[in-house]
Amino acid sequence: MTQKAKQFINDDEIPWDDLGGGLKRKIMSYDDNLMMVKVAFETGGIGALHSHFHTQMSYVESGAFEITIGDKTGTLKKGDAYYIPPDIIHGALCTEEGILVDIFTPLREDFIK
């Protein structure tokens, strides 16, 4: 089932995609301009340092993370959020099993199979 422009999104109907290294992802919905993705981390899971041209905001649904954005690192927990401007190197280390909800603009075409 495609999640493109899906208006009513039922979490339990979307399968997880195992990314390896203690991470899994599910694409909640998207259009050409916006995408929402959930990423589940096991404790110790690493979102490797990377950059992309997309603007990103992320919400910590659960757990705790050390988030690096550029040359700064902050510790965030359930209920916190962060913003990443385009082309800034960033990454995550999960210190307590949890889920990040990532929003991208425009959509991450590389996530769509």
Short mmCIF file of all heavy atoms in Angstrom, two decimals, residues 1-63:
data_model
loop_
_atom_site.label_atom_id
_atom_site.label_comp_id
_atom_site.label_asym_id
_atom_site.label_seq_id
_atom_site.Cartn_x
_atom_site.Cartn_y
_atom_site.Cartn_z
N MET A 1 0.85 -1.18 0.00
CA MET A 1 0.00 0.00 0.00
C MET A 1 0.90 1.24 0.00
O MET A 1 1.82 1.36 0.80
CB MET A 1 -0.89 -0.01 1.24
CG MET A 1 -1.65 1.29 1.40
SD MET A 1 -2.60 1.59 2.92
CE MET A 1 -2.43 0.18 3.91
N THR A 2 0.60 2.16 -0.89
CA THR A 2 1.38 3.39 -0.93
C THR A 2 0.92 4.36 0.15
O THR A 2 -0.26 4.38 0.50
CB THR A 2 1.29 4.06 -2.32
OG1 THR A 2 2.09 5.23 -2.30
CG2 THR A 2 -0.13 4.45 -2.68
N GLN A 3 1.84 5.12 0.64
CA GLN A 3 1.52 6.11 1.65
C GLN A 3 1.46 7.51 1.04
O GLN A 3 1.33 8.48 1.76
CB GLN A 3 2.56 6.07 2.77
CG GLN A 3 2.51 4.80 3.60
CD GLN A 3 1.17 4.56 4.24
OE1 GLN A 3 0.43 3.67 3.83
NE2 GLN A 3 0.82 5.34 5.22
N LYS A 4 1.59 7.61 -0.30
CA LYS A 4 1.59 8.93 -0.93
C LYS A 4 0.25 9.62 -0.73
O LYS A 4 -0.79 9.09 -1.06
CB LYS A 4 1.91 8.82 -2.42
CG LYS A 4 2.01 10.20 -3.04
CD LYS A 4 2.74 10.22 -4.34
CE LYS A 4 2.91 11.68 -4.75
NZ LYS A 4 3.66 11.83 -5.95
N ALA A 5 0.33 10.81 -0.15
CA ALA A 5 -0.83 11.68 0.08
C ALA A 5 -1.93 11.01 0.88
O ALA A 5 -3.10 11.38 0.79
CB ALA A 5 -1.35 12.25 -1.23
N LYS A 6 -1.57 10.02 1.69
CA LYS A 6 -2.56 9.35 2.53
C LYS A 6 -3.01 10.34 3.60
O LYS A 6 -2.18 10.93 4.29
CB LYS A 6 -1.96 8.09 3.15
CG LYS A 6 -2.98 7.27 3.89
CD LYS A 6 -2.46 5.88 4.16
CE LYS A 6 -3.48 5.17 5.01
NZ LYS A 6 -3.91 3.94 4.47
N GLN A 7 -4.30 10.53 3.74
CA GLN A 7 -4.82 11.55 4.65
C GLN A 7 -5.08 11.02 6.05
O GLN A 7 -4.86 11.73 7.03
CB GLN A 7 -6.09 12.17 4.06
CG GLN A 7 -5.79 12.96 2.80
CD GLN A 7 -7.03 13.55 2.20
OE1 GLN A 7 -8.04 12.87 2.03
NE2 GLN A 7 -6.97 14.82 1.87
N PHE A 8 -5.56 9.81 6.17
CA PHE A 8 -5.79 9.21 7.48
C PHE A 8 -4.78 8.09 7.63
O PHE A 8 -4.78 7.13 6.86
CB PHE A 8 -7.23 8.70 7.61
CG PHE A 8 -8.23 9.80 7.52
CD1 PHE A 8 -8.87 10.09 6.32
CD2 PHE A 8 -8.52 10.57 8.63
CE1 PHE A 8 -9.78 11.13 6.24
CE2 PHE A 8 -9.44 11.61 8.56
CZ PHE A 8 -10.07 11.90 7.36
N ILE A 9 -3.90 8.22 8.61
CA ILE A 9 -2.74 7.36 8.72
C ILE A 9 -2.87 6.50 9.97
O ILE A 9 -2.84 7.01 11.08
CB ILE A 9 -1.45 8.22 8.78
CG1 ILE A 9 -1.40 9.15 7.56
CG2 ILE A 9 -0.22 7.34 8.86
CD1 ILE A 9 -0.53 10.37 7.76
N ASN A 10 -3.04 5.20 9.76
CA ASN A 10 -3.15 4.26 10.88
C ASN A 10 -1.82 3.57 11.07
O ASN A 10 -1.40 2.75 10.24
CB ASN A 10 -4.26 3.25 10.62
CG ASN A 10 -5.61 3.92 10.47
OD1 ASN A 10 -6.05 4.19 9.37
ND2 ASN A 10 -6.24 4.22 11.58
N ASP A 11 -1.15 3.89 12.17
CA ASP A 11 0.19 3.38 12.46
C ASP A 11 0.28 1.87 12.35
O ASP A 11 1.23 1.34 11.77
CB ASP A 11 0.61 3.86 13.85
CG ASP A 11 2.02 3.45 14.20
OD1 ASP A 11 2.97 3.91 13.53
OD2 ASP A 11 2.19 2.65 15.14
N ASP A 12 -0.72 1.16 12.88
CA ASP A 12 -0.63 -0.31 12.90
C ASP A 12 -0.82 -0.94 11.53
O ASP A 12 -0.64 -2.15 11.37
CB ASP A 12 -1.61 -0.90 13.92
CG ASP A 12 -3.06 -0.54 13.67
OD1 ASP A 12 -3.35 0.29 12.78
OD2 ASP A 12 -3.93 -1.08 14.38
N GLU A 13 -1.17 -0.17 10.51
CA GLU A 13 -1.32 -0.69 9.15
C GLU A 13 -0.04 -0.53 8.32
O GLU A 13 0.02 -1.00 7.19
CB GLU A 13 -2.47 0.02 8.43
CG GLU A 13 -3.82 -0.25 9.04
CD GLU A 13 -4.94 0.54 8.40
OE1 GLU A 13 -4.68 1.31 7.44
OE2 GLU A 13 -6.08 0.39 8.84
N ILE A 14 0.97 0.13 8.89
CA ILE A 14 2.20 0.41 8.14
C ILE A 14 3.31 -0.48 8.69
O ILE A 14 3.65 -0.41 9.87
CB ILE A 14 2.60 1.90 8.27
CG1 ILE A 14 1.44 2.79 7.82
CG2 ILE A 14 3.86 2.18 7.45
CD1 ILE A 14 1.62 4.25 8.20
N PRO A 15 3.92 -1.30 7.84
CA PRO A 15 5.00 -2.17 8.32
C PRO A 15 6.30 -1.40 8.53
O PRO A 15 6.56 -0.38 7.87
CB PRO A 15 5.15 -3.19 7.18
CG PRO A 15 4.70 -2.46 5.96
CD PRO A 15 3.62 -1.51 6.41
N TRP A 16 7.12 -1.88 9.44
CA TRP A 16 8.46 -1.34 9.65
C TRP A 16 9.40 -1.90 8.59
O TRP A 16 9.28 -3.06 8.21
CB TRP A 16 8.98 -1.73 11.04
CG TRP A 16 8.32 -1.03 12.17
CD1 TRP A 16 7.34 -1.54 12.98
CD2 TRP A 16 8.59 0.29 12.65
NE1 TRP A 16 6.99 -0.61 13.94
CE2 TRP A 16 7.74 0.52 13.76
CE3 TRP A 16 9.46 1.30 12.26
CZ2 TRP A 16 7.74 1.72 14.47
CZ3 TRP A 16 9.46 2.50 12.97
CH2 TRP A 16 8.61 2.70 14.05
N ASP A 17 10.34 -1.07 8.17
CA ASP A 17 11.41 -1.48 7.27
C ASP A 17 12.68 -1.56 8.12
O ASP A 17 13.12 -0.54 8.66
CB ASP A 17 11.56 -0.46 6.14
CG ASP A 17 12.63 -0.82 5.14
OD1 ASP A 17 13.03 -2.00 5.06
OD2 ASP A 17 13.08 0.09 4.41
N ASP A 18 13.25 -2.75 8.27
CA ASP A 18 14.45 -2.94 9.09
C ASP A 18 15.65 -2.36 8.37
O ASP A 18 16.00 -2.79 7.27
CB ASP A 18 14.66 -4.42 9.38
CG ASP A 18 15.74 -4.67 10.41
OD1 ASP A 18 16.52 -3.75 10.73
OD2 ASP A 18 15.81 -5.81 10.91
N LEU A 19 16.30 -1.38 8.98
CA LEU A 19 17.46 -0.72 8.39
C LEU A 19 18.77 -1.33 8.86
O LEU A 19 19.83 -0.96 8.38
CB LEU A 19 17.45 0.78 8.74
CG LEU A 19 16.20 1.55 8.34
CD1 LEU A 19 16.27 2.99 8.83
CD2 LEU A 19 15.98 1.49 6.84
N GLY A 20 18.71 -2.25 9.85
CA GLY A 20 19.92 -2.83 10.42
C GLY A 20 20.50 -1.91 11.49
O GLY A 20 20.10 -0.76 11.62
N GLY A 21 21.42 -2.43 12.26
CA GLY A 21 22.08 -1.63 13.29
C GLY A 21 21.17 -1.13 14.39
O GLY A 21 21.45 -0.12 15.03
N GLY A 22 20.06 -1.82 14.62
CA GLY A 22 19.15 -1.43 15.69
C GLY A 22 18.18 -0.33 15.30
O GLY A 22 17.59 0.30 16.16
N LEU A 23 18.00 -0.09 13.98
CA LEU A 23 17.07 0.92 13.50
C LEU A 23 16.04 0.32 12.57
O LEU A 23 16.34 -0.61 11.81
CB LEU A 23 17.81 2.02 12.72
CG LEU A 23 18.51 3.12 13.50
CD1 LEU A 23 19.75 2.58 14.18
CD2 LEU A 23 18.89 4.25 12.58
N LYS A 24 14.83 0.85 12.63
CA LYS A 24 13.80 0.51 11.66
C LYS A 24 12.98 1.76 11.37
O LYS A 24 12.92 2.68 12.19
CB LYS A 24 12.94 -0.66 12.12
CG LYS A 24 12.28 -0.50 13.46
CD LYS A 24 11.59 -1.79 13.90
CE LYS A 24 10.94 -1.59 15.26
NZ LYS A 24 10.25 -2.78 15.71
N ARG A 25 12.37 1.79 10.18
CA ARG A 25 11.69 3.01 9.72
C ARG A 25 10.36 2.67 9.09
O ARG A 25 10.19 1.62 8.48
CB ARG A 25 12.59 3.69 8.68
CG ARG A 25 11.96 4.83 7.93
CD ARG A 25 12.93 5.56 7.02
NE ARG A 25 13.38 4.71 5.93
CZ ARG A 25 14.59 4.79 5.38
NH1 ARG A 25 15.49 5.65 5.80
NH2 ARG A 25 14.93 3.99 4.39
N LYS A 26 9.41 3.60 9.24
CA LYS A 26 8.16 3.50 8.50
C LYS A 26 7.79 4.88 7.99
O LYS A 26 7.89 5.88 8.69
CB LYS A 26 7.02 2.86 9.28
CG LYS A 26 6.56 3.56 10.52
CD LYS A 26 5.27 2.98 11.08
CE LYS A 26 5.43 1.71 11.84
NZ LYS A 26 4.16 1.20 12.40
N ILE A 27 7.39 4.91 6.71
CA ILE A 27 6.96 6.17 6.09
C ILE A 27 5.47 6.32 6.38
O ILE A 27 4.66 5.49 5.99
CB ILE A 27 7.24 6.15 4.58
CG1 ILE A 27 8.75 6.06 4.35
CG2 ILE A 27 6.64 7.39 3.92
CD1 ILE A 27 9.15 5.84 2.91
N MET A 28 5.13 7.39 7.09
CA MET A 28 3.75 7.59 7.50
C MET A 28 2.90 8.14 6.35
O MET A 28 1.85 7.61 6.05
CB MET A 28 3.69 8.53 8.71
CG MET A 28 4.51 8.04 9.90
SD MET A 28 4.06 6.38 10.47
CE MET A 28 2.48 6.72 11.24
N SER A 29 3.36 9.22 5.71
CA SER A 29 2.68 9.79 4.54
C SER A 29 3.59 10.84 3.93
O SER A 29 4.52 11.32 4.58
CB SER A 29 1.34 10.41 4.92
OG SER A 29 0.60 10.77 3.75
N TYR A 30 3.31 11.18 2.66
CA TYR A 30 4.12 12.19 1.98
C TYR A 30 3.42 12.68 0.73
O TYR A 30 2.50 12.05 0.22
CB TYR A 30 5.49 11.62 1.61
CG TYR A 30 5.44 10.50 0.59
CD1 TYR A 30 5.58 10.76 -0.77
CD2 TYR A 30 5.24 9.19 0.99
CE1 TYR A 30 5.53 9.74 -1.71
CE2 TYR A 30 5.18 8.17 0.05
CZ TYR A 30 5.32 8.45 -1.28
OH TYR A 30 5.26 7.45 -2.21
N ASP A 31 3.86 13.86 0.28
CA ASP A 31 3.56 14.33 -1.06
C ASP A 31 4.87 14.90 -1.60
O ASP A 31 5.93 14.65 -1.02
CB ASP A 31 2.40 15.34 -1.09
CG ASP A 31 2.66 16.63 -0.34
OD1 ASP A 31 3.84 16.96 -0.05
OD2 ASP A 31 1.69 17.35 -0.05
N ASP A 32 4.84 15.64 -2.67
CA ASP A 32 6.09 16.13 -3.25
C ASP A 32 6.80 17.16 -2.37
O ASP A 32 7.99 17.38 -2.52
CB ASP A 32 5.83 16.75 -4.63
CG ASP A 32 5.42 15.70 -5.65
OD1 ASP A 32 5.71 14.50 -5.44
OD2 ASP A 32 4.82 16.08 -6.67
N ASN A 33 6.07 17.77 -1.44
CA ASN A 33 6.63 18.86 -0.63
C ASN A 33 6.90 18.51 0.82
O ASN A 33 7.60 19.25 1.50
CB ASN A 33 5.68 20.06 -0.66
CG ASN A 33 5.47 20.57 -2.05
OD1 ASN A 33 6.43 20.87 -2.75
ND2 ASN A 33 4.22 20.65 -2.48
N LEU A 34 6.36 17.41 1.31
CA LEU A 34 6.42 17.13 2.74
C LEU A 34 6.40 15.62 2.97
O LEU A 34 5.72 14.89 2.25
CB LEU A 34 5.20 17.77 3.42
CG LEU A 34 5.14 17.79 4.93
CD1 LEU A 34 6.24 18.68 5.50
CD2 LEU A 34 3.78 18.33 5.37
N MET A 35 7.14 15.17 4.00
CA MET A 35 7.16 13.74 4.34
C MET A 35 7.27 13.57 5.85
O MET A 35 8.03 14.28 6.50
CB MET A 35 8.35 13.06 3.66
CG MET A 35 8.51 11.59 4.01
SD MET A 35 9.92 10.82 3.17
CE MET A 35 9.09 10.09 1.78
N MET A 36 6.50 12.59 6.38
CA MET A 36 6.60 12.22 7.79
C MET A 36 7.06 10.77 7.87
O MET A 36 6.50 9.90 7.21
CB MET A 36 5.26 12.36 8.51
CG MET A 36 5.33 11.92 9.97
SD MET A 36 3.72 11.92 10.78
CE MET A 36 3.54 13.66 11.09
N VAL A 37 8.09 10.55 8.70
CA VAL A 37 8.71 9.24 8.84
C VAL A 37 8.93 8.95 10.32
O VAL A 37 9.35 9.85 11.07
CB VAL A 37 10.06 9.20 8.10
CG1 VAL A 37 10.77 7.88 8.29
CG2 VAL A 37 9.89 9.52 6.63
N LYS A 38 8.66 7.72 10.76
CA LYS A 38 9.00 7.30 12.12
C LYS A 38 10.24 6.42 12.04
O LYS A 38 10.34 5.55 11.17
CB LYS A 38 7.85 6.50 12.74
CG LYS A 38 6.65 7.36 13.09
CD LYS A 38 5.52 6.51 13.61
CE LYS A 38 5.58 6.39 15.10
NZ LYS A 38 4.38 5.78 15.68
N VAL A 39 11.16 6.65 12.97
CA VAL A 39 12.36 5.83 13.05
C VAL A 39 12.47 5.30 14.48
O VAL A 39 12.51 6.08 15.43
CB VAL A 39 13.64 6.62 12.69
CG1 VAL A 39 14.85 5.69 12.68
CG2 VAL A 39 13.49 7.31 11.33
N ALA A 40 12.48 3.97 14.61
CA ALA A 40 12.61 3.32 15.92
C ALA A 40 14.06 2.91 16.12
O ALA A 40 14.69 2.34 15.22
CB ALA A 40 11.70 2.11 16.00
N PHE A 41 14.59 3.20 17.30
CA PHE A 41 15.98 2.91 17.66
C PHE A 41 16.02 1.98 18.86
O PHE A 41 15.30 2.20 19.84
CB PHE A 41 16.71 4.17 18.10
CG PHE A 41 17.03 5.16 17.02
CD1 PHE A 41 16.05 5.95 16.45
CD2 PHE A 41 18.34 5.35 16.59
CE1 PHE A 41 16.35 6.89 15.47
CE2 PHE A 41 18.66 6.28 15.63
CZ PHE A 41 17.66 7.06 15.06
N GLU A 42 16.87 0.97 18.81
CA GLU A 42 17.22 0.22 20.01
C GLU A 42 18.25 1.04 20.77
O GLU A 42 18.95 1.87 20.17
CB GLU A 42 17.83 -1.14 19.63
CG GLU A 42 16.86 -2.08 18.95
CD GLU A 42 17.53 -3.37 18.49
OE1 GLU A 42 18.73 -3.57 18.76
OE2 GLU A 42 16.83 -4.16 17.84
N THR A 43 18.38 0.83 22.06
CA THR A 43 19.42 1.51 22.83
C THR A 43 20.77 1.24 22.18
O THR A 43 21.08 0.10 21.85
CB THR A 43 19.41 1.04 24.30
OG1 THR A 43 18.13 1.33 24.87
CG2 THR A 43 20.50 1.72 25.11
N GLY A 44 21.53 2.28 21.97
CA GLY A 44 22.83 2.17 21.32
C GLY A 44 22.78 2.32 19.81
O GLY A 44 23.81 2.41 19.16
N GLY A 45 21.58 2.36 19.25
CA GLY A 45 21.42 2.55 17.81
C GLY A 45 21.94 3.91 17.38
O GLY A 45 21.79 4.90 18.09
N ILE A 46 22.55 3.95 16.20
CA ILE A 46 23.17 5.18 15.72
C ILE A 46 22.57 5.59 14.37
O ILE A 46 22.52 4.79 13.44
CB ILE A 46 24.69 5.00 15.56
CG1 ILE A 46 25.33 4.74 16.92
CG2 ILE A 46 25.33 6.22 14.88
CD1 ILE A 46 26.81 4.37 16.84
N GLY A 47 22.12 6.82 14.31
CA GLY A 47 21.80 7.46 13.04
C GLY A 47 23.08 8.17 12.62
O GLY A 47 23.43 9.22 13.17
N ALA A 48 23.83 7.56 11.71
CA ALA A 48 25.17 8.04 11.35
C ALA A 48 25.14 9.50 10.89
O ALA A 48 24.15 9.97 10.32
CB ALA A 48 25.76 7.17 10.24
N LEU A 49 26.25 10.20 11.13
CA LEU A 49 26.37 11.58 10.68
C LEU A 49 26.19 11.65 9.16
O LEU A 49 26.78 10.85 8.42
CB LEU A 49 27.74 12.15 11.06
CG LEU A 49 27.95 12.42 12.55
CD1 LEU A 49 29.41 12.80 12.81
CD2 LEU A 49 27.02 13.51 13.06
N HIS A 50 25.36 12.58 8.72
CA HIS A 50 25.07 12.75 7.29
C HIS A 50 24.49 14.15 7.08
O HIS A 50 24.21 14.86 8.04
CB HIS A 50 24.08 11.68 6.82
CG HIS A 50 22.73 11.81 7.44
ND1 HIS A 50 22.46 11.47 8.75
CD2 HIS A 50 21.56 12.28 6.93
CE1 HIS A 50 21.19 11.70 9.02
NE2 HIS A 50 20.62 12.20 7.92
N SER A 51 24.32 14.51 5.84
CA SER A 51 23.63 15.75 5.52
C SER A 51 22.78 15.53 4.27
O SER A 51 22.99 14.58 3.52
CB SER A 51 24.62 16.90 5.31
OG SER A 51 25.39 16.68 4.15
N HIS A 52 21.81 16.41 4.07
CA HIS A 52 20.95 16.37 2.88
C HIS A 52 20.40 17.77 2.67
O HIS A 52 20.45 18.61 3.56
CB HIS A 52 19.83 15.35 3.03
CG HIS A 52 19.16 15.34 4.37
ND1 HIS A 52 18.27 16.33 4.77
CD2 HIS A 52 19.25 14.49 5.42
CE1 HIS A 52 17.84 16.05 5.98
NE2 HIS A 52 18.43 14.94 6.41
N PHE A 53 19.88 18.02 1.48
CA PHE A 53 19.40 19.36 1.14
C PHE A 53 18.02 19.67 1.71
O PHE A 53 17.53 20.79 1.61
CB PHE A 53 19.40 19.57 -0.39
CG PHE A 53 18.37 18.76 -1.12
CD1 PHE A 53 17.08 19.25 -1.31
CD2 PHE A 53 18.67 17.51 -1.63
CE1 PHE A 53 16.12 18.50 -2.00
CE2 PHE A 53 17.74 16.76 -2.32
CZ PHE A 53 16.46 17.26 -2.50
N HIS A 54 17.40 18.70 2.35
CA HIS A 54 16.07 18.88 2.91
C HIS A 54 16.14 19.65 4.24
O HIS A 54 17.10 19.52 4.99
CB HIS A 54 15.42 17.52 3.20
CG HIS A 54 15.51 16.58 2.06
ND1 HIS A 54 16.65 15.85 1.79
CD2 HIS A 54 14.62 16.26 1.10
CE1 HIS A 54 16.46 15.11 0.72
NE2 HIS A 54 15.23 15.34 0.27
N THR A 55 15.10 20.41 4.54
CA THR A 55 14.90 20.93 5.88
C THR A 55 14.24 19.82 6.68
O THR A 55 13.38 19.10 6.16
CB THR A 55 13.98 22.17 5.86
OG1 THR A 55 14.61 23.19 5.08
CG2 THR A 55 13.71 22.69 7.26
N GLN A 56 14.66 19.66 7.94
CA GLN A 56 14.12 18.58 8.78
C GLN A 56 13.77 19.10 10.15
O GLN A 56 14.51 19.90 10.73
CB GLN A 56 15.17 17.46 8.91
CG GLN A 56 14.76 16.33 9.83
CD GLN A 56 15.81 15.24 9.91
OE1 GLN A 56 16.69 15.14 9.07
NE2 GLN A 56 15.71 14.41 10.94
N MET A 57 12.64 18.65 10.67
CA MET A 57 12.29 18.82 12.09
C MET A 57 11.95 17.43 12.60
O MET A 57 11.38 16.62 11.87
CB MET A 57 11.11 19.76 12.28
CG MET A 57 11.44 21.20 11.96
SD MET A 57 10.16 22.33 12.46
CE MET A 57 10.52 22.46 14.20
N SER A 58 12.34 17.17 13.84
CA SER A 58 12.07 15.85 14.42
C SER A 58 11.53 16.00 15.83
O SER A 58 11.94 16.89 16.58
CB SER A 58 13.35 15.02 14.44
OG SER A 58 13.81 14.79 13.13
N TYR A 59 10.62 15.09 16.18
CA TYR A 59 9.98 15.05 17.49
C TYR A 59 10.36 13.73 18.15
O TYR A 59 10.31 12.67 17.52
CB TYR A 59 8.46 15.12 17.30
CG TYR A 59 7.67 14.92 18.56
CD1 TYR A 59 7.58 15.93 19.51
CD2 TYR A 59 7.01 13.72 18.81
CE1 TYR A 59 6.85 15.75 20.67
CE2 TYR A 59 6.28 13.53 19.97
CZ TYR A 59 6.21 14.55 20.90
OH TYR A 59 5.50 14.37 22.05
N VAL A 60 10.75 13.80 19.41
CA VAL A 60 11.09 12.60 20.17
C VAL A 60 9.80 12.04 20.76
O VAL A 60 9.28 12.54 21.75
CB VAL A 60 12.13 12.91 21.29
CG1 VAL A 60 12.49 11.62 22.02
CG2 VAL A 60 13.37 13.59 20.71
N GLU A 61 9.28 11.00 20.11
CA GLU A 61 8.04 10.36 20.56
C GLU A 61 8.26 9.60 21.86
O GLU A 61 7.39 9.55 22.73
CB GLU A 61 7.52 9.43 19.47
CG GLU A 61 6.25 8.69 19.84
CD GLU A 61 5.78 7.77 18.74
OE1 GLU A 61 5.56 8.24 17.61
OE2 GLU A 61 5.62 6.57 19.01
N SER A 62 9.44 8.96 21.96
CA SER A 62 9.77 8.20 23.16
C SER A 62 11.27 8.01 23.22
O SER A 62 11.98 8.21 22.24
CB SER A 62 9.06 6.83 23.15
OG SER A 62 9.47 6.07 22.04
N GLY A 63 11.77 7.63 24.40
CA GLY A 63 13.19 7.35 24.56
C GLY A 63 14.02 8.58 24.83
O GLY A 63 13.50 9.64 25.22
#
